Amino acid sequence: MGLLFRNRFLLYHLVRRDIATRFVGSYAGLFWGLVHPLILLAVYSTLFVYILQVKMGSGVRQNFAEFLFCALWAWIAFSEGTLTSVKAVVGNPNLVKRMAFPLEVLAPSCIFSALLLQLLGFGLFMVYLLVFGKIPVWGIWRVLLVVVPLIFQCMFSVGLGWVLSALQVFVRDTAQFVAAAMTVWFFLTPIIYPADLVPAGFRFVIGLNPWTHLAEAYRCAVFQGTLPLTWGGAYVVVLSTVLFVFGGVVFEKLKPEFADAL
């Protein structure tokens, strides 16, 4: 964390460069960052609400779109940030061979640029909830509660990004494996369905998934104005912290070998 803070200006410029590169020459700019989630919302709403006619269960008071959107923005940012961070080191061989360059900022820059789009979408979602009376006007303070799961999402993502980007240097199949794993991970996370619909015998597996509890934390913060004080919340805090520290140690240990491997 200290290294990222010391290099915050470099990190800022890398994030800015990534955003600018992604939308260079585009008339709509950041708007395209909202298209993907909106398409997913339309597809999943049509499939689950109108075709399969899935019932959300008594524990869900929101409609499907609201239930989905609250966690979908966060997942897309995590997924996109993770997938791009895997190639953060191998994609910058010229920087790797500069001994003075802090390589630790490469993976976090990919993750933070994806988080910017998450914050943009989440901001629009909050405006929708306020305009249509889904939450009271004074409920805008709930945005502050969203910061709590967001912090641990960042720590989890950065730690995972460090490990995967370092591993990709030596095992080039890592990116393909991660891409496949993210698809499976998505469907094992209660984002498009409530956890109450999961069969009792499978709930233990779902409970081991940290994103089960992150999604629940986002929904509780937005819709209820609270944070879930459960074992799942403690589990996310501990796991995110451990992975952040572990990822930093792994990256630091393997970093001297990057130049030779590339």
Side-chain angles (χ1 to χ4, degrees):
M1 187 65 75
L3 186 144
L4 294 179
F5 181 77
R6 289 194 300 272
N7 292 281
R8 59 189 182 279
F9 296 112
L10 174 60
L11 188 58
Y12 165 77
H13 287 293
L14 287 175
V15 171
R16 185 177 177 181
R17 184 195 68 175
D18 181 65
I19 294 293
T21 302
R22 187 180 309 184
F23 300 110
V24 64
S26 171
Y27 291 107
L30 287 176
F31 169 77
W32 290 113
L34 305 177
V35 171
H36 183 207
L38 290 173
I39 291 175
L40 287 179
L41 175 65
V43 171
Y44 286 131
S45 296
T46 302
L47 176 63
F48 285 91
V49 177
Y50 298 106
I51 298 178
L52 299 179
Q53 298 182 358
V54 174
K55 303 298 182 183
M56 297 300 291
S58 58
V60 179
R61 299 180 180 179
Q62 303 79 38
N63 62 45
F64 180 80
E66 295 162 358
F67 176 86
L68 173 64
F69 247 40
C70 197
L72 183 64
W73 289 110
W75 172 264
I76 289 177
F78 167 69
S79 176
E80 182 179 321
T82 300
L83 291 173
T84 54
S85 67
V86 175
K87 298 181 180 181
V89 175
V90 297
N92 293 279
N94 56 325
L95 297 179
V96 172
K97 296 175 182 179
R98 295 182 181 178
M99 300 304 295
F101 188 86
L103 300 178
E104 291 84 355
V105 302
L106 292 176
S109 69
C110 298
I111 291 164
F112 291 149
S113 64
L115 284 173
L116 282 179
L117 297 178
Q118 172 188 345
L119 294 176
L120 175 61
F122 218 88
L124 295 176
F125 181 59
M126 291 299 294
V127 171
Y128 158 82
L129 294 176
L130 288 169
V131 169
F132 289 92
K134 301 295 184 176
I135 60 175
V137 176
W138 56 264
I140 193 64
W141 67 272
R142 298 180 184 186
V143 174
L144 299 178
L145 289 179
V146 170
V147 173
V148 177
L150 180 63
I151 289 173
F152 292 106
Q153 175 188 334
C154 288
M155 294 178 64
F156 185 86
S157 300
V158 170
L160 187 62
W162 275 331
V163 172
L164 295 177
S165 62
L167 188 60
Q168 173 70 10
V169 175
F170 306 100
V171 183
R172 297 302 174 92
D173 293 328
T174 301
Q176 285 72 27
F177 173 79
V178 172
M182 293 302 289
T183 301
V184 177
W185 197 346
F186 173 73
F187 288 104
L188 289 178
T189 304
I191 294 177
I192 59 176
Y193 56 87
D196 294 342
L197 296 183
V198 177
F202 199 66
R203 288 182 185 176
F204 176 74
V205 177
I206 296 295
L208 293 177
N209 178 2
W211 265 96
T212 296
H213 311 291
L214 278 171
E216 179 65 18
Y218 278 115
R219 286 170 179 144
C220 285
V222 172
F223 297 124
Q224 301 175 23
T226 61
L227 288 174
L229 301 178
T230 61
W231 74 268
Y235 170 63
V236 169
V237 170
V238 173
L239 182 62
S240 300
T241 304
V242 170
L243 183 57
F244 182 82
V245 175
F246 175 75
V249 172
V250 169
F251 194 93
E252 191 65 26
K253 291 290 186 181
L254 296 178
K255 184 171 66 172
E257 309 297 329
F258 288 168
D260 293 335
L262 293 177

